[in-house]
Structures are given as C-alpha cells and as structure tokens.
Amino acid sequence: MVTAGAPQIPRVLIEQLNIGGRLVIPVGDRSSQVLLKLTRLSEDLNDLKREELGGCRFVDLIGEYAWDNS
C-alpha cells in the first residue's frame, strides 16, 4: 500500500511484486487521484489486473518517482 499520491505507477514497485502480489496506490494529479489495485498475473511485468477502487486525495509522493518540481 502506497500512502502518497503519485503521477504514475513507479515501475520499480511492480518489479517487486511476486506473481499474485498486489499493489494499492493512489495515482493522478496533485489535487485528485484514483485508488488503483494492481495484481501481478505472470512473469510479464505488463500482465497486470487493474482495478479502480474510487476517487481519493493523498499527500504528494516525494523522491525519485514523484512530480518534477522544476
């Protein structure tokens, strides 16, 4: 469970999932996100089940995979 809103899903988080593993992350812009649940289905990193769990608003993600502040 990622507890900060991200502009997109960081690939590094998907890479850490085992087959059957789940990632819940708020994705969108800084004022509005959608809570996504991803389930990794196979070795292929693009083979994901994606479910939208509803609208939400989390604090901004900071660091390497956050928004560009420049």
Side-chain angles (χ1 to χ4, degrees):
M1 172 75 183
V2 178
T3 58
Q8 66 269 338
I9 302 163
R11 189 75 170 175
V12 67
L13 295 180
I14 295 170
E15 292 170 354
Q16 294 177 45
L17 291 175
N18 288 326
I19 296 172
R22 294 174 206 89
L23 172 67
V24 177
I25 182 171
V27 178
D29 60 36
R30 287 184 161 167
S31 62
S32 176
Q33 296 110 32
V34 173
L35 194 60
L36 298 178
K37 178 183 168 187
L38 302 174
T39 304
R40 186 167 176 185
L41 301 175
S42 71
E43 290 292 328
D44 180 353
L45 293 177
N46 295 311
D47 191 13
L48 301 167
K49 178 181 178 184
R50 177 185 168 127
E51 299 173 71
E52 291 190 10
L53 303 178
C56 61
R57 173 66 177 102
F58 282 63
V59 298
D60 293 347
L61 184 69
I62 59 172
E64 183 176 353
Y65 301 101
W67 285 273
D68 182 8
N69 287 328
S70 52

